[in-house]
Amino acid sequence: MQLIHDPLTRRTQVVLGVVGVVGFVAVLELVIRTGLLSGEGLPLPSAVGGQVVNLLGDGEFWTQIGFTLRQWLLGLVIASVVGIILGGLMGAVPTIFSMFLLPVEILRPLPSIAVGPLLVLILGAGMLPLSLTVALACMWPILFNSMYAARAVDPVAIQTARTLHVSRAGILMQIRLPAALPFMFTGIRVAASIGLIVAVSAELLFGSGQGIGGYILVASTNAGNLDGVYAATLVAGVLGVLVTGVLASIDRLAFGWKEGLAQ
């Protein structure tokens, strides 16, 4: 009896994922057409798919996609800079950890979407308050990953470097940062998906009608355009999958060696 199974290849995983999605959509289409599941707000998957094709051929919708991606990327960059610097310092310097622990614990539970309208009142409408809302949501995974990564650096390596009279800056750049980078990037990967969700939600709730969220908001006011609402939502989900896939590929290429750390 075989107890140990070889892991599935990436191609097999992709094929199984596609089969699962297609099968789910086919079952849902059949259930709705046969009347087992019905409702005014439940369009046919085939109708939504057709609307997706129409949206992808609409230049104005691509403009909205570009706006969402720009404000998401700006928020992610802000969160990465703040999270990596502050998290790394909190993990490496006990004094800084004690100074910032209480503010971090107070701010972390605050929902970024609730803070967003306050940012609009302070900064006015536009991309900046939306991006800061995204940054607030993205910062915590990056900060905590950076903090624990800085703490987890091998103390023997640090002590050896000190014995060899390596400066603090040298220890930071040659030992702490290379050892922590893979885990910092993992925080960015996690934050990227969260940030895209928050970006669309922020546009939907307090945006100025721009972005994918703004399109969904406008389309939802027309009861006859529910297919467009679902199609735009599906496009946002596909964007999330693409972003995750791209970052995962970068992670494998740049930090593939970290898999050996688990052995």
Side-chain angles (χ1 to χ4, degrees):
M1 181 171 56
Q2 186 176 5
L3 297 179
I4 300 177
H5 300 276
D6 293 332
L8 297 176
T9 64
R10 189 162 303 279
R11 178 178 298 179
T12 302
Q13 293 177 14
V14 172
V15 170
L16 291 176
V18 171
V19 170
V21 171
V22 172
F24 173 78
V25 171
V27 171
L28 183 59
E29 179 91 11
L30 179 63
V31 168
I32 295 176
R33 285 189 178 276
T34 56
L36 295 176
L37 186 63
S38 62
E40 295 181 358
L42 193 62
L44 290 169
S46 56
V48 175
Q51 189 63 32
V52 168
V53 175
N54 293 335
L55 287 179
L56 295 181
D58 184 358
E60 179 62 27
F61 185 70
W62 279 103
T63 302
Q64 306 298 351
I65 292 177
F67 179 87
T68 296
L69 291 178
R70 288 196 304 275
Q71 63 111 340
W72 161 78
L73 184 59
L74 177 59
L76 184 61
V77 169
I78 294 172
S80 298
V81 172
V82 175
I84 288 175
I85 293 176
L86 181 57
L89 290 175
M90 288 178 66
V93 184
T95 302
I96 296 180
F97 174 81
S98 300
M99 288 174 57
F100 285 94
L101 178 61
L102 183 59
V104 166
E105 290 299 328
I106 292 175
L107 294 175
R108 183 167 62 94
L110 293 178
S112 59
I113 292 296
V115 178
L118 298 178
L119 295 174
V120 173
L121 290 175
I122 296 172
L123 302 173
M127 182 181 293
L128 183 58
L130 295 172
S131 295
L132 290 178
T133 303
V134 173
L136 183 60
C138 291
M139 186 172 66
W140 308 118
I142 301 173
L143 185 147
F144 283 106
N145 264 47
S146 300
M147 182 177 69
Y148 289 117
R151 282 186 177 181
V153 175
D154 188 359
V156 175
I158 296 176
Q159 292 299 330
T160 302
R162 288 174 178 169
T163 302
L164 298 173
H165 303 291
V166 179
S167 65
R168 289 188 176 183
I171 292 175
L172 175 64
M173 298 303 298
Q174 299 174 25
I175 298 177
R176 288 190 182 275
L177 189 59
L181 269 179
F183 306 99
M184 292 176 176
F185 191 79
T186 299
I188 294 175
R189 283 181 56 188
V190 174
S193 300
I194 297 173
L196 194 57
I197 296 171
V198 173
V200 176
S201 301
E203 293 167 349
L204 180 62
L205 294 176
F206 53 86
S208 55
Q210 294 179 290
I212 298 175
Y215 179 89
I216 294 173
L217 179 62
V218 173
S220 63
T221 60
N222 181 4
N225 192 27
L226 289 179
D227 291 349
V229 174
Y230 281 99
T233 305
L234 181 60
V235 170
V238 172
L239 281 178
V241 173
L242 293 177
V243 165
T244 301
V246 170
L247 292 178
S249 298
I250 295 174
D251 193 7
R252 287 194 302 272
L253 291 174
F255 306 113
W257 53 267
K258 74 179 180 181
E259 295 179 2
L261 297 179
Q263 301 300 326

